[in-house]
């Protein structure tokens, strides 16, 4: 079973691309969704995160806005949070892979926003980077209701530059041309992985 890492900076269209892989029948492990579940009422992260950052739990769940305010721009606080959350996500991810293997899936996608930043690229077989021009990225991000320039800058500061991600990727998907071209790139990548002897030109190999 091929583990395909999917990553991309904020606003590049990664979530939409992830859904395209799912539409092609490829199981997708969404690390953000896993964290949401851990932060929800009854989630395994609620108690330890509240112990480390008192006051971030509201109505039995971790309030991500409050937590973000505590860790953004604070490397020590962020590291403390990662020490709690990463092992929990890791256990969940292993269970997901085991289920996919048992179902006979030949490819699974590991959707991780900070794949390179956390060293996650070492745990996958190939990496797809989702990209778009900087002006498209900024327009998408700034259109979000909870976003401002300072928050956008803080998020970008945690992420490798897009150019570096593209340079390190096995495949690159450009989402700036619309949904159908992106969907064709997804299909071409799956074809290339399943039949490497006839690499489709539609999959933009990064190397």
């Amino acid at each position: 079973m091929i583990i395909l890492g999917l990553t991309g900076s904020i606003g590049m269209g990664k979530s939409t691309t992830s859904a395209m892989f799912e539409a092609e029948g490829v199981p997708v492990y969404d690390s953000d969704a896993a964290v949401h579940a851990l932060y929800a009422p009854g989630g395994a992260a609620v108690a330890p995160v509240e112990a480390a950052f008192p006051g971030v739990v509201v109505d039995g769940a971790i309030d991500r806005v409050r937590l973000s305010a505590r860790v953004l721009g604070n490397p020590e606080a962020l590291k403390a949070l990662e020490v709690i959350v990463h092992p929990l996500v890791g256990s969940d991810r292993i269970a997901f892979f085991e289920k996919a293997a048992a179902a006979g899936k030949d490819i699974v996608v590991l959707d991780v926003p900070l794949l390179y930043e956390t060293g996650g690229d070492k745990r996958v077989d190939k990496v797809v980077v989702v990209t778009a021009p900087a002006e498209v990225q900024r327009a998408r991000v700034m259109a979000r209701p909870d976003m401002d320039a300072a928050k956008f800058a803080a998020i970008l500061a945690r992420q490798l530059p897009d150019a570096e991600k593209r340079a390190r990727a096995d495949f690159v998907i450009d989402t700036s041309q619309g949904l159908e071209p992106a969907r064709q790139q997804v299909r071409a990548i799956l074809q290339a992985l399943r039949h490497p002897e006839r690499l489709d030109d539609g999959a933009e190999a990064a190397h």
Side-chain angles (χ1 to χ4, degrees), residues 77-152:
L78 184 61
K79 183 64 178 178
L81 179 63
E82 291 171 347
V83 166
I84 296 168
V85 175
H86 283 181
L88 297 173
V89 174
S91 297
D92 188 58
R93 182 175 61 243
I94 289 169
F96 175 88
F97 287 164
E98 289 175 346
K99 181 179 178 182
K105 297 294 183 178
D106 61 338
I107 300 172
V108 295
V109 167
L110 180 60
D111 179 344
V112 183
L114 299 177
L115 184 75
Y116 286 120
E117 293 85 347
T118 59
D121 56 306
K122 298 178 180 65
R123 299 192 296 271
V124 301
D125 299 305
K126 299 288 184 181
V127 175
V128 176
V129 166
V130 181
T131 189
E135 63 272 17
V136 174
Q137 176 194 29
R138 183 174 183 83
R140 288 172 177 172
V141 174
M142 295 308 294
R144 298 182 182 186
D146 61 341
M147 189 58 61
D148 57 43
K151 186 174 181 181
F152 182 32

Side-chain angles (χ1 to χ4, degrees), residues 8-176:
S9 299
I10 184 172
M12 293 302 197
K14 183 178 60 61
S15 296
T16 300
T17 305
S18 177
M20 290 177 181
F21 278 102
E22 281 195 302
E24 296 299 320
V26 178
V28 175
Y29 183 81
D30 185 336
S31 62
D32 269 357
V35 172
H36 274 286
L38 291 169
Y39 286 2
V46 174
V49 171
E50 171 66 13
F53 304 97
V56 299
V57 170
V58 178
D59 296 328
I62 294 172
D63 185 308
R64 290 176 73 108
V65 174
R66 291 190 181 192
L67 181 60
S68 177
R70 299 281 288 273
V71 302
L72 266 184
N74 185 336
E76 289 185 4
L78 184 61
K79 183 64 178 178
L81 179 63
E82 291 171 347
V83 166
I84 296 168
V85 175
H86 283 181
L88 297 173
V89 174
S91 297
D92 188 58
R93 182 175 61 243
I94 289 169
F96 175 88
F97 287 164
E98 289 175 346
K99 181 179 178 182
K105 297 294 183 178
D106 61 338
I107 300 172
V108 295
V109 167
L110 180 60
D111 179 344
V112 183
L114 299 177
L115 184 75
Y116 286 120
E117 293 85 347
T118 59
D121 56 306
K122 298 178 180 65
R123 299 192 296 271
V124 301
D125 299 305
K126 299 288 184 181
V127 175
V128 176
V129 166
V130 181
T131 189
E135 63 272 17
V136 174
Q137 176 194 29
R138 183 174 183 83
R140 288 172 177 172
V141 174
M142 295 308 294
R144 298 182 182 186
D146 61 341
M147 189 58 61
D148 57 43
K151 186 174 181 181
F152 182 32
I155 292 170
L156 284 181
R158 291 180 55 207
Q159 301 181 339
L160 278 183
D162 177 59
E164 185 171 344
K165 288 178 179 175
R166 286 187 277 111
R168 293 172 63 177
D170 296 290
F171 299 101
V172 175
I173 293 178
D174 181 352
T175 65
S176 67

